[in-house]
Short mmCIF file of all heavy atoms in Angstrom, two decimals:
data_model
loop_
_atom_site.label_atom_id
_atom_site.label_comp_id
_atom_site.label_asym_id
_atom_site.label_seq_id
_atom_site.Cartn_x
_atom_site.Cartn_y
_atom_site.Cartn_z
N GLU A 79 4.46 -46.82 63.47
CA GLU A 79 5.81 -46.23 63.44
C GLU A 79 6.01 -45.67 62.03
O GLU A 79 5.74 -46.36 61.06
CB GLU A 79 6.85 -47.30 63.73
CG GLU A 79 8.27 -46.95 63.35
CD GLU A 79 9.02 -46.14 64.40
OE1 GLU A 79 8.48 -45.97 65.51
OE2 GLU A 79 10.12 -45.67 64.11
N TYR A 81 7.72 -45.53 59.46
CA TYR A 81 8.82 -46.05 58.63
C TYR A 81 8.82 -45.39 57.26
O TYR A 81 9.86 -45.06 56.72
CB TYR A 81 8.66 -47.56 58.43
CG TYR A 81 8.88 -48.42 59.65
CD1 TYR A 81 7.84 -49.14 60.22
CD2 TYR A 81 10.15 -48.53 60.22
CE1 TYR A 81 8.05 -49.96 61.31
CE2 TYR A 81 10.36 -49.33 61.32
CZ TYR A 81 9.32 -50.04 61.86
OH TYR A 81 9.52 -50.86 62.93
N ILE A 87 7.95 -38.17 48.67
CA ILE A 87 8.74 -36.95 48.45
C ILE A 87 10.22 -37.19 48.64
O ILE A 87 11.05 -36.57 47.99
CB ILE A 87 8.30 -35.83 49.43
CG1 ILE A 87 6.79 -35.63 49.39
CG2 ILE A 87 8.99 -34.53 49.09
CD1 ILE A 87 6.30 -34.82 50.55
N GLU A 98 32.04 -52.53 42.20
CA GLU A 98 31.42 -52.56 40.87
C GLU A 98 32.07 -51.53 39.96
O GLU A 98 32.32 -51.78 38.78
CB GLU A 98 29.92 -52.27 40.99
CG GLU A 98 29.09 -53.43 41.50
CD GLU A 98 27.62 -53.08 41.59
OE1 GLU A 98 27.03 -52.73 40.56
OE2 GLU A 98 27.08 -53.15 42.70
N ASN A 132 11.48 -41.19 41.94
CA ASN A 132 12.18 -40.32 42.90
C ASN A 132 13.65 -40.66 43.05
O ASN A 132 14.23 -40.43 44.09
CB ASN A 132 11.53 -40.38 44.29
CG ASN A 132 10.37 -39.42 44.40
OD1 ASN A 132 10.15 -38.63 43.52
ND2 ASN A 132 9.65 -39.50 45.49
N GLN A 206 16.07 -27.26 50.13
CA GLN A 206 16.63 -26.82 51.40
C GLN A 206 17.27 -27.93 52.20
O GLN A 206 18.36 -27.77 52.75
CB GLN A 206 15.53 -26.17 52.25
CG GLN A 206 15.40 -24.71 51.99
CD GLN A 206 14.59 -24.02 53.05
OE1 GLN A 206 13.64 -24.58 53.57
NE2 GLN A 206 14.96 -22.82 53.38
N PRO A 224 36.15 -24.20 48.08
CA PRO A 224 37.26 -25.06 47.64
C PRO A 224 38.42 -25.11 48.62
O PRO A 224 39.07 -26.13 48.78
CB PRO A 224 37.69 -24.45 46.32
CG PRO A 224 36.53 -23.67 45.85
CD PRO A 224 35.82 -23.20 47.07
N ASP A 259 30.15 -26.13 36.03
CA ASP A 259 29.47 -25.01 36.66
C ASP A 259 28.19 -25.54 37.33
O ASP A 259 27.60 -26.49 36.84
CB ASP A 259 29.12 -23.97 35.59
CG ASP A 259 28.54 -22.72 36.19
OD1 ASP A 259 29.32 -21.88 36.65
OD2 ASP A 259 27.31 -22.59 36.19
N GLU A 268 26.85 -25.94 27.33
CA GLU A 268 26.26 -24.97 28.27
C GLU A 268 24.74 -25.05 28.22
O GLU A 268 24.17 -25.47 27.22
CB GLU A 268 26.74 -23.56 27.91
CG GLU A 268 28.20 -23.32 28.25
CD GLU A 268 28.69 -21.97 27.77
OE1 GLU A 268 27.85 -21.07 27.55
OE2 GLU A 268 29.91 -21.81 27.61
N HIS A 296 18.49 -17.92 39.08
CA HIS A 296 17.02 -17.85 39.12
C HIS A 296 16.49 -16.83 38.15
O HIS A 296 17.20 -16.06 37.57
CB HIS A 296 16.54 -17.53 40.53
CG HIS A 296 17.12 -16.28 41.10
ND1 HIS A 296 18.03 -16.32 42.13
CD2 HIS A 296 16.92 -14.97 40.84
CE1 HIS A 296 18.37 -15.09 42.46
NE2 HIS A 296 17.70 -14.25 41.69
N ALA B 36 31.69 -22.11 32.30
CA ALA B 36 31.13 -21.07 33.17
C ALA B 36 31.27 -21.44 34.62
O ALA B 36 31.42 -22.59 34.98
CB ALA B 36 29.67 -20.90 32.83
N ASN B 37 31.23 -20.43 35.45
CA ASN B 37 31.31 -20.67 36.89
C ASN B 37 30.38 -19.73 37.63
O ASN B 37 29.82 -18.82 37.08
CB ASN B 37 32.74 -20.47 37.38
CG ASN B 37 33.59 -21.65 37.03
OD1 ASN B 37 33.45 -22.72 37.60
ND2 ASN B 37 34.41 -21.49 36.04
N PHE B 53 42.38 -20.61 44.83
CA PHE B 53 41.90 -21.84 44.19
C PHE B 53 40.84 -21.47 43.20
O PHE B 53 39.75 -21.07 43.54
CB PHE B 53 41.34 -22.77 45.28
CG PHE B 53 41.08 -24.16 44.82
CD1 PHE B 53 42.10 -24.92 44.24
CD2 PHE B 53 39.85 -24.72 44.98
CE1 PHE B 53 41.86 -26.21 43.84
CE2 PHE B 53 39.61 -26.02 44.59
CZ PHE B 53 40.62 -26.77 44.02
N LYS B 65 30.77 -13.85 30.17
CA LYS B 65 31.22 -14.30 28.86
C LYS B 65 30.33 -13.75 27.78
O LYS B 65 30.76 -13.45 26.68
CB LYS B 65 31.18 -15.83 28.85
CG LYS B 65 32.18 -16.48 27.94
CD LYS B 65 31.99 -17.96 27.90
CE LYS B 65 31.28 -18.32 26.63
NZ LYS B 65 31.00 -19.71 26.46
N ALA B 78 22.87 -11.32 39.68
CA ALA B 78 21.49 -11.81 39.69
C ALA B 78 21.21 -12.62 40.95
O ALA B 78 20.08 -12.89 41.27
CB ALA B 78 21.25 -12.66 38.46
N ALA B 92 5.73 -30.74 48.42
CA ALA B 92 4.68 -31.28 47.57
C ALA B 92 4.32 -32.69 48.00
O ALA B 92 5.17 -33.49 48.34
CB ALA B 92 5.16 -31.30 46.12
N ARG B 97 1.13 -38.73 43.24
CA ARG B 97 2.43 -39.34 43.54
C ARG B 97 2.30 -40.48 44.53
O ARG B 97 3.18 -41.29 44.66
CB ARG B 97 3.37 -38.28 44.11
CG ARG B 97 3.64 -37.17 43.11
CD ARG B 97 4.65 -36.23 43.64
NE ARG B 97 5.97 -36.82 43.54
CZ ARG B 97 7.08 -36.12 43.61
NH1 ARG B 97 7.02 -34.83 43.78
NH2 ARG B 97 8.24 -36.69 43.52
N ASP B 107 1.61 -48.08 57.91
CA ASP B 107 1.85 -47.27 59.11
C ASP B 107 2.55 -48.04 60.20
O ASP B 107 3.01 -47.45 61.17
CB ASP B 107 0.52 -46.75 59.67
CG ASP B 107 -0.07 -45.66 58.79
OD1 ASP B 107 0.68 -45.12 57.96
OD2 ASP B 107 -1.26 -45.37 58.94
N HIS B 142 13.23 -53.00 67.46
CA HIS B 142 12.44 -53.28 66.27
C HIS B 142 12.70 -54.75 65.96
O HIS B 142 13.85 -55.17 65.91
CB HIS B 142 12.90 -52.42 65.08
CG HIS B 142 12.61 -50.97 65.27
ND1 HIS B 142 11.74 -50.28 64.47
CD2 HIS B 142 13.06 -50.08 66.18
CE1 HIS B 142 11.67 -49.01 64.86
NE2 HIS B 142 12.48 -48.86 65.89
N TYR B 191 30.09 -59.25 35.75
CA TYR B 191 30.10 -58.44 34.53
C TYR B 191 30.90 -59.19 33.48
O TYR B 191 32.08 -59.43 33.68
CB TYR B 191 30.76 -57.08 34.78
CG TYR B 191 29.97 -56.18 35.69
CD1 TYR B 191 30.59 -55.54 36.75
CD2 TYR B 191 28.62 -55.98 35.48
CE1 TYR B 191 29.87 -54.70 37.58
CE2 TYR B 191 27.90 -55.16 36.32
CZ TYR B 191 28.52 -54.52 37.36
OH TYR B 191 27.83 -53.71 38.19
#
Side-chain angles (χ1 to χ4, degrees):
Chain A
E79 163 84 8
Y81 290 114
I87 309 166
E98 283 180 59
N132 275 353
Q206 271 195 324
D259 186 81
E268 288 175 21
H296 56 250
Chain B
N37 283 288
F53 193 56
K65 209 185 102 181
R97 297 185 76 162
D107 288 344
H142 293 244
Y191 292 132

